[in-house]
Amino acid sequence: MLYRLRTDFRLSIITLLAISAILGITPFAVMRFLQGNVLAGAVDLGIMLAITAGTVYAWITGDTARSGFAMALVACGGAVTVGALVGEPGLFWLYPCLVTSFFLTEPRYAIFINLAAVLALMIHGVAFSSLVQMWTFAATAVVVSCCAYVFAHRNENQRERLEHLATIDPLTGVKNRRSMDQELAMAVASASRNGISYALVLLDIDYFKKINDQHGHNVGDDVLVEMVALIEQNIRKSDQLFRFGGEEFVLLMSGVDSTGLRAVMHNLQHIMHKFLRHPGGKVTASFGVALLQAGEKPDDWLARADQALYEAKETGRDRIVYASDLMPSYG
């Protein structure tokens, strides 16, 4: 639960809004029922129930885009309704809604929702005691919306930059091990749910330390970058390449069977033999390959591919070893 709140910004905003709504609106709903203002109390109760339902939907489905948009509508629409029913005191409820709408949904939708809410109150007019108050309210609402837009936009840019730094290998530009762990878990879940086949390939550049020692780390870095470029040019867009660490990489492929997988691996090895070079000659790699088995966990799947890679390196390097060809204890 805490992990999802830390990693999903919009879900955290939705959850925070729900908690704030329950804590902030409940006393007023109770007060209005006690005062006999049943309609206003019912509106408050309806807002809380709608926001709670949207939050539950977001947690269950993970669809924060739709739930966020719906909650922005509910929050601003509810604030307008409260303002129309109770008059001037209800106007203050719109301000927090104008701010949170930019965090709940896309800016273009938030702008439309905010303008519609302000215009609705102005057209209704009952909540205002004078034209001066009405236009003052409109001006301040626009200023609040503009400030919220700037802050939300800047926050989104910074979040994307941090996410990029946290998930992308800076040298090769492919995803790192943190991303790989997430994608493997998603692949296992997808295979269990939809029956899609997945293959995992561990590849390790042969004698990479010798390349670094003899020609320098700059040459080693160039080899890594060139190898990644070669692989990405010869795999499908749906396939994913990760840097596992050092000179070791992981390739995740979906929708492949044993026959097709062997053809793909043979082609990749041929491409590397033909094009991958360093000042001392050609560069080769060892491969460990494992098809995902039914009910297998990500760690076990990765361990089988790693065992196949170990076998490839122990039996001469520049080889492709399939986990299914090893002893039963290895897969």
Side-chain angles (χ1 to χ4, degrees), residues 3-173:
Y3 175 78
R4 289 186 67 185
L5 289 176
R6 288 195 301 267
T7 57
D8 192 330
F9 176 73
R10 187 170 289 171
L11 181 62
S12 65
I13 291 296
I14 289 173
T15 305
L16 179 61
L17 175 62
I19 295 173
S20 300
I22 293 173
L23 296 178
I25 300 177
T26 299
F28 290 91
V30 173
M31 179 187 70
R32 283 164 184 154
F33 278 120
L34 293 175
Q35 291 176 342
N37 193 346
V38 178
L39 183 57
V43 169
D44 289 338
L45 182 60
I47 293 171
M48 287 191 296
L49 291 176
I51 290 177
T52 302
T55 305
V56 172
Y57 174 83
W59 274 94
I60 294 176
T61 66
D63 186 359
T64 56
R66 291 183 182 177
S67 55
F69 176 76
M71 291 176 68
L73 281 176
V74 168
C76 288
V80 169
T81 304
V82 170
L85 289 175
V86 305
E88 184 177 342
L91 296 176
F92 298 102
W93 285 106
L94 186 59
Y95 287 108
C97 298
L98 296 177
V99 174
T100 55
S101 62
F102 284 100
F103 295 94
L104 290 171
T105 188
E106 295 180 25
R108 54 178 176 168
Y109 298 141
I111 291 171
F112 172 78
I113 292 171
N114 286 8
L115 288 177
V118 174
L119 287 174
L121 279 173
M122 293 177 68
I123 292 171
H124 187 264
V126 174
F128 305 103
S129 58
S130 66
L131 284 176
V132 173
Q133 185 191 37
M134 182 177 72
W135 286 107
T136 301
F137 168 79
T140 56
V142 169
V143 170
V144 167
S145 295
C146 290
C147 292
Y149 169 77
V150 171
F151 182 78
H153 180 69
R154 182 177 178 83
N155 183 80
E156 181 67 15
N157 287 341
Q158 291 179 337
R159 186 191 64 79
E160 290 177 355
R161 289 179 60 190
L162 289 173
E163 184 177 347
H164 180 84
L165 292 173
T167 59
I168 302 298
D169 174 55
L171 175 64
T172 61

Side-chain angles (χ1 to χ4, degrees), residues 197-199 253 255-267 289 291 320 322 324-325:
S197 61
Y198 286 89
M253 296 183 286
V256 291
D257 56 19
S258 179
T259 303
L261 179 60
R262 290 175 185 265
V264 170
M265 294 309 304
H266 176 77
N267 180 64
V289 186
L291 278 167
I320 303 171
Y322 298 86
S324 57
D325 295 338

Side-chain angles (χ1 to χ4, degrees), residues 243-264:
R243 188 176 184 184
F244 192 52
E247 69 275 18
E248 198 168 16
F249 291 80
V250 171
L251 178 61
L252 176 63
M253 296 183 286
S254 62
V256 291
D257 56 19
S258 179
T259 303
L261 179 60
R262 290 175 185 265
V264 170

